[in-house]
Amino acid sequence: MTWIVYLSGEIHTDWRQQISDGAKAQDLPVVFSSAVTDHEASDAAGDVLGSESNQFWRDHKSAKVNGIRTRTLIDKCDVAVVRFGDRYKQWNAAFDAGYCAASGKPYIALHDEDIVHALKEVDASAMAWAKTPAQVVEILRYVTKAQ
Amino acid sequence: MTWIVYLSGEIHTDWRQQISDGAKAQDLPVVFSSAVTDHEASDAAGDVLGSESNQFWRDHKSAKVNGIRTRTLIDKCDVAVVRFGDRYKQWNAAFDAGYCAASGKPYIALHDEDIVHALKEVDASAMAWAKTPAQVVEILRYVTKAQ
Amino acid sequence: MTWIVYLSGEIHTDWRQQISDGAKAQDLPVVFSSAVTDHEASDAAGDVLGSESNQFWRDHKSAKVNGIRTRTLIDKCDVAVVRFGDRYKQWNAAFDAGYCAASGKPYIALHDEDIVHALKEVDASAMAWAKTPAQVVEILRYVTKAQ
Amino acid sequence: MTWIVYLSGEIHTDWRQQISDGAKAQDLPVVFSSAVTDHEASDAAGDVLGSESNQFWRDHKSAKVNGIRTRTLIDKCDVAVVRFGDRYKQWNAAFDAGYCAASGKPYIALHDEDIVHALKEVDASAMAWAKTPAQVVEILRYVTKAQ
Amino acid sequence: MTWIVYLSGEIHTDWRQQISDGAKAQDLPVVFSSAVTDHEASDAAGDVLGSESNQFWRDHKSAKVNGIRTRTLIDKCDVAVVRFGDRYKQWNAAFDAGYCAASGKPYIALHDEDIVHALKEVDASAMAWAKTPAQVVEILRYVTKAQ
Amino acid sequence: MTWIVYLSGEIHTDWRQQISDGAKAQDLPVVFSSAVTDHEASDAAGDVLGSESNQFWRDHKSAKVNGIRTRTLIDKCDVAVVRFGDRYKQWNAAFDAGYCAASGKPYIALHDEDIVHALKEVDASAMAWAKTPAQVVEILRYVTKAQ
Amino acid sequence: MTWIVYLSGEIHTDWRQQISDGAKAQDLPVVFSSAVTDHEASDAAGDVLGSESNQFWRDHKSAKVNGIRTRTLIDKCDVAVVRFGDRYKQWNAAFDAGYCAASGKPYIALHDEDIVHALKEVDASAMAWAKTPAQVVEILRYVTKAQ
Amino acid sequence: MTWIVYLSGEIHTDWRQQISDGAKAQDLPVVFSSAVTDHEASDAAGDVLGSESNQFWRDHKSAKVNGIRTRTLIDKCDVAVVRFGDRYKQWNAAFDAGYCAASGKPYIALHDEDIVHALKEVDASAMAWAKTPAQVVEILRYVTKAQ
C-alpha cells in the first residue's frame, strides 16, 4: 500500500521539501499532495474567469478554485500534516485541520512549542504533535513500514 | 421551527450579546449555543481530572473536555456564526469553520474588512460574510421569518 | 407523527396555497415549509450585507443567504413537492430535485403533461408525478392517514 | 493522480470536444465521462425493455436506464462541469448540479452571462463560473498541474 | 424515551393487533408504525394520479406512493419487526429486511420454524427470530423497560 | 472504466452464464461477481466452524459466512442484477434488492411478467425491469459503451 | 437542551448510582441510559425465544437481544461514559468504546490508574479519562452548565 | 479482486503467521495488514516526539501514533480477524471489534471456547467465530475462491 500524505499550511519555509527528502531517503511508500504553494499563482487562481475590482470577490473566486483542488486532495489522502509557522494568520491551516477532524481524517500538527496554547483545539484533534519535519518523517516511517 | 444558532470564535467583545439582544428585539425563533466563553474556566476545564506540570498536556486535557461540548453543539446547530476579531490567533474559530464545512453545516463569517484576504478560504466556504452583529441578526431574521 | 412537507419551485401561481388549504380541509398531520416566495425579497436577501455593482455578485450573495434557509428546510423535511410551471427557466426547482435525489429525500413532481419530456430525469427520480395540487393533497392524505 | 471530470448538460454544441481538445493540448492528467450525448439513442435507452404507447412511461424507462450510467459516473468523478446553453429547458443539467451539491461533489458552471440571474442557485453552489470551454480547461490545468 | 416500532410484512393475519395489544397490556413505551395494510387501498395508492391500462405501471405508481410512506417510517423507527406468513411471496417483507440491514436498523424476524431455511439470509441479519407475537412483545418489554 | 456487475438471486437456471456470454460476445467492459452459486457448498459454508445439531444454527452460521462475501461484493459493485425465477421463495434476492435500495446501489430486476404484482416494491426501486438475460446485456452495453 | 449520557461497562459497583446522584445534586440537565445491568436478566434476555442446549447459542441470542437496546441507546446518546473495574474481562466495555470511536460519539473513560497501559487504545480515543464518578459529574456539569 | 484482511489482537502467539502460511499454501487472493506487532516498538511509537515522565501521556502519544496506522488499515480492509488469546486484557482487540461493528466492517472472531461467555457481545456482532487459524483460512478460501 502506498500512503497518500497531504501537506497543509505554511508556504514560506521548506518544510514540505524536508519531509519529502526525508521520506525519499528512507524509501517510504508515500506520495505527497498539497495546495498550490506558489503564493501569487494561488491568489490569482480565479483571474482567468474574469478580473474583479473588488478584493473580496477576487479572493472569493480564487479561494473557490483552489478549493476544487484542496478538498479533493484532502478527501483522497490517508493522513494530513498541518503546519503552522511563526508568521501570518494561517487560518487556512486551522480550517484544514477542522475539515480533517470532521471527516475522520487523521492529521499530524507540526509547529513550535511557543504556539501550543493558541493551537490547543487543533492539537486536541490531531493524532500527533511534531516539532520538526524530521519527526514527521519518523512517524510516517513507523506508520508505513514498521512490522 | 426553532433554529439553533451556534456562536463560535472571539470571546473578548460582546458580539454574542449583541446578536442575542437583536434576535430578542425582533422575537426571532432562535436559540443560541456556544463554547464556554469564560476564558479562565475554559483553560481549566480539564483540571478536575488531575493537575499537569506540562502546559501542553494541561491544554490538551482542557481542549478535549471543551470538545465534548463544542462538537456536540455544532453537530446539533442549524447554522453557525464564526467571529474573527482583531486580536489573537483565533485558530479555534477557523478550525470550527473547517469542521462546519466538512459537515455540510452552513455558517456565517463575521469579521472586519481588513482581514478579508487572510480569511479567504474561510469565507469561500461560508454562506455569508457579515461585518456587524446587526447584519447577522438581519440574516437570521430573513432566514427564519421571511415568507 | 407530523409530516414536514417542503414546497419547492414556481412562485407565480397559488399552488402552495391550494395544497395548504386542501391539507387543512382534510385535517392532515402536515406542516409546510418553503423558500421565501416573495420574489423581490428573495433577490434582495443579501443586500443587507452591502450593495454590489455587479449583478452576478448580488445574485451570488442573495442565493447563498437563501441557501441557508432552503438547504436546512429540505434537509429537515420528510417529503418535498417540486413544482414546474409554464414560464421561466425554473432551474432552482430542478436543482432542488437533484439535491433531494442525492439526499435520499422522497419528492413529488408537480407539473403539466406538456413538459413531461423535458422533465424526464426529474420525474425518473421522483416518487410520484402529480398534475394538480389536489392530487398532491390526496397523496399526502394517503401517505399520512391511510391505515 | 488522474482526475475524472464529468461533463453534464447541453448536447447541441461541441463544448465537450473543446474541453477535451484543450486538455489534450496541455497534456492534463484528466479523463472525461458523460451521459450518452446521442439524443435519439438517449431517448430510446429503455426501448429494448419493451415498447410503450404512453410517452411518459417511455421517457421514464429511458431516463432510469440513463440514470444507471449518469449517477454512477457522477459518483465516481472528482469534479463536474455543468453546461447550460441558450436553448431548451436543460432541467437535467440543473438536476445534476443539485445532485452534485448534495453529494459534496465540486462542480464548475459553464454558461453565458445573460442567464446569470436564472442560474443563481446553481452558481451559488458551484466552485466556479466559467463562460468558455477555454476557461474550464485553464481551471483544470491549474487544479491538476500547478505546484 | 418512546420507542418507535415499524411492523413490516404479512397483512392477512392479526399479528400487528396482537403485538399492539400485548404492548398496551404491559404499558410499554412504544408506538407502532406500518405500511398501509388495507390491501386494496395499497394497490390503488397511485390511481389518483391517473389510471393505467398496463398492470406493471399501475403497480409501479402505487408502489412508489407507498414507498414515500414506508421508507420514511422505516428510517424513523428504532426497531422493525418483519413478519413472514405461510402464504404469498412476501418479497416486500424480505425487501424491507434488506433495507433495514443496509441502514443499520435492527429488526426482529417473526415467522414459523418451517420456513427457517428459506429465510436464512433474512434471519442472519436479524437481531432476533421470534415465532409468536407474544415473544415479540416480551422482547420489546425487555428492551424498553428492563433495568 | 471497468464496471462491476453483481448477479443476485436464482441459482437453478443458467441466466448468469447467458449474461456473461452476451457481455463477452460484445466485449463489454464489465466483470461479474456473485454469491457462491453451488447450493450445497453455500448451505455448508459454516460447517468448517463445527457441526450443529440444530438446523437453524447451521443455517445461521452458513448465512453469515456467505454474508462476508455477498455484502462485500454488493458494496463494491457498480450495478446489480437481481433475478427472480419461477420456483422457490427467493427471499434472499428480495433482501439483496432492499439492501441495494438502502445503499443507493442501482439494480436491474430480472423476472417474468407473471410475478410483476408480487414484485412491485422490488421493481419500484429498480432502475429497470428486464424479462430476459439478453435485455440485461443490452442495457449493460448501452450503459457502458454508448457515446 | 437535555444531554443524554450513556453509561457503559462494569455492573458490579454502584458507579452509575454515584454519577446519577451527583448529577441530581447539581441539577444537571442530563438523563442517563444504559444496558440492562441485572446480570442474570441480561444473560437470559434471549431465553423467551426458546431454550438452547449450547452455551454459545444461548449467549448469542441474548447478546443480540441486548444489542437492540444498547446500539439504539448509544446511537441516541450525546456522550458516553465507559467504566472499567478491577475484575472480569469487560470486553463489552471496550467494544462499546470502539463502537463510539467509529461513530464519532464522544466518550469519557472511567478507570483506575493501574490499568492505564492496558487501556491505552481506549483512552487515546476518549475525550477524557476520569478516575472517579465525582470527576465524571464535574465534567458533565462543566459541559452542560458552564457559560 | 484481491481481498484485504486485517489481523487484530493478540501478539504473543504465531496465529498471524499460521493464517498467512495457510493462505499462501492455498494461493488465496488475499493480502494481510495489521497493527505493529513488535510490542516494544509499539509502546515506543510516540517517543520520537519527545520523552514523557508520565506513563499515561507516553501511552497516550504512542497509542495515537499507532492509531494513524490501525484506523487507516481497518478502514481499508475488506474483512478483519480479531484474535483473543488466553492472557492479558486485550481491550484493544475488543475495541477494534466495536470499531468494525459500527463501521459495518465484517469481522471473524478467533478464540477458544472457554472465553465464549465473556466475548458474547463481540461474537454477536461477528460474522463468524473460529477456534483455529486453519478455520479462518478455510473461511477465507470459501469467501474468496468458491464459485
Side-chain angles (χ1 to χ4, degrees), chain F:
Chain F
M1 171 187 169
T2 298
W3 290 65
I4 306 174
V5 182
Y6 186 82
L7 303 173
S8 166
E10 194 205 25
I11 58 173
H12 300 94
T13 64
D14 68 344
W15 67 277
R16 280 183 182 79
Q17 194 60 45
Q18 289 183 51
I19 290 176
S20 174
D21 289 350
K24 200 173 300 173
Q26 298 212 42
D27 197 27
L28 302 187
V30 297
V31 294
F32 297 100
S33 61
S34 178
V36 170
T37 55
D38 175 331
H39 198 154
E40 286 189 24
S42 173
D43 281 359
D47 289 358
V48 67
L49 299 171
S51 64
E52 298 292 334
S53 53
N54 182 318
Q55 178 65 25
F56 180 81
W57 294 120
R58 188 198 178 213
D59 280 344
H60 198 72
K61 278 164 62 172
S62 291
K64 280 183 167 286
V65 169
N66 280 305
I68 298 175
R69 174 175 171 129
T70 54
R71 291 218 188 168
T72 300
L73 295 181
I74 292 179
D75 287 347
K76 285 185 189 298
C77 82
D78 296 305
V79 57
V81 180
V82 187
R83 164 73 184 161
F84 293 85
D86 57 2
R87 295 194 301 171
Y88 306 103
K89 292 294 194 184
Q90 304 170 95
W91 284 319
N92 60 323
F95 181 88
D96 284 354
Y99 187 92
C100 286
S103 311
K105 191 74 69 180
Y107 67 89
I108 300 166
L110 173 60
H111 58 82
D112 288 342
E113 188 150 14
D114 59 340
I115 49 178
V116 153
H117 188 62
L119 281 168
K120 67 179 191 291
E121 287 84 6
V122 169
D123 286 344
S125 293
M127 297 300 276
W129 163 41
K131 273 161 279 189
T132 67
Q135 286 176 325
V136 172
V137 173
E138 179 55 19
I139 297 295
L140 293 177
R141 183 205 60 74
Y142 176 82
V143 164
T144 63
K145 293 190 73 172
Q147 298 289 335

Side-chain angles (χ1 to χ4, degrees), chain C residues 65-102:
Chain C
V65 168
N66 280 306
I68 298 175
R69 174 175 170 129
T70 54
R71 291 218 188 169
T72 301
L73 295 181
I74 293 180
D75 287 347
K76 285 186 189 297
C77 82
D78 296 306
V79 58
V81 180
V82 187
R83 164 70 184 165
F84 293 85
D86 57 1
R87 293 193 303 170
Y88 306 103
K89 291 293 191 183
Q90 305 171 92
W91 283 320
N92 59 322
F95 181 89
D96 284 355
Y99 187 91
C100 286

Side-chain angles (χ1 to χ4, degrees), chain C residues 59 71 89 91 117 119 125, chain D residues 59 71 89 91 117 125:
Chain C
D59 281 345
R71 291 218 188 169
K89 291 293 191 183
W91 283 320
H117 189 62
L119 282 169
S125 293
Chain D
D59 281 344
R71 290 219 190 167
K89 292 294 192 183
W91 283 320
H117 188 62
S125 293

Side-chain angles (χ1 to χ4, degrees), chain G residues 39 43 55-56 59-60 63-64 71 84 88-92 94-95 97-99 101-103 107 115-125 129, chain H residues 39 43 55-56 59-60 63-64 71 84 88-92 94-95 97-99 101-103 107 115-125 129:
Chain G
H39 198 155
D43 281 359
Q55 177 65 25
F56 179 81
D59 281 344
H60 198 70
K64 279 182 169 287
R71 290 216 190 171
F84 294 84
Y88 306 104
K89 292 292 192 185
Q90 305 171 94
W91 284 319
N92 59 324
F95 181 88
Y99 187 91
S103 311
Y107 66 90
I115 48 178
V116 153
H117 188 62
L119 281 168
K120 67 179 189 293
E121 287 84 6
V122 169
D123 287 344
S125 293
W129 162 41
Chain H
H39 198 153
D43 282 359
Q55 178 65 24
F56 180 80
D59 280 345
H60 199 70
K64 280 184 168 286
R71 291 218 188 168
F84 294 84
Y88 307 103
K89 291 295 191 182
Q90 304 171 94
W91 284 319
N92 59 321
F95 181 89
Y99 187 92
S103 312
Y107 66 88
I115 48 178
V116 151
H117 188 62
L119 281 168
K120 67 180 189 293
E121 287 84 7
V122 169
D123 286 344
S125 294
W129 162 43

Side-chain angles (χ1 to χ4, degrees), chain B residues 102-115:
Chain B
S103 312
K105 191 75 67 181
Y107 67 88
I108 299 166
L110 172 61
H111 58 81
D112 288 342
E113 188 151 13
D114 59 339
I115 48 177

